[in-house]
């Protein structure tokens, strides 16, 4: 199991790294079938 402190800046919508960006959703959609995107 993995725990994240924050998202990388290129995948984050906010400076704290807590809100995923559209780039993050697109990457997850490509990698994981059934990811809500």
């Amino acid at each position: 199991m993995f725990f994240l402190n924050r998202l990388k800046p290129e995948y984050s919508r906010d400076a704290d790294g807590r809100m995923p960006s559209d780039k993050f959703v697109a990457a997850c959609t490509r990698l994981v079938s059934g990811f809500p995107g």
Side-chain angles (χ1 to χ4, degrees):
M1 182 178 285
F2 294 95
F3 294 94
L4 300 174
N5 292 323
R6 60 173 286 132
L7 295 168
K8 289 184 173 184
E10 61 266 23
Y11 291 113
S12 176
R13 191 177 297 186
D14 64 342
D16 291 332
R18 298 188 185 270
M19 293 186 62
S21 67
D22 292 335
K23 185 177 178 181
F24 178 87
V25 173
C28 286
T29 302
R30 280 194 311 273
L31 295 172
V32 180
S33 65
F35 185 81

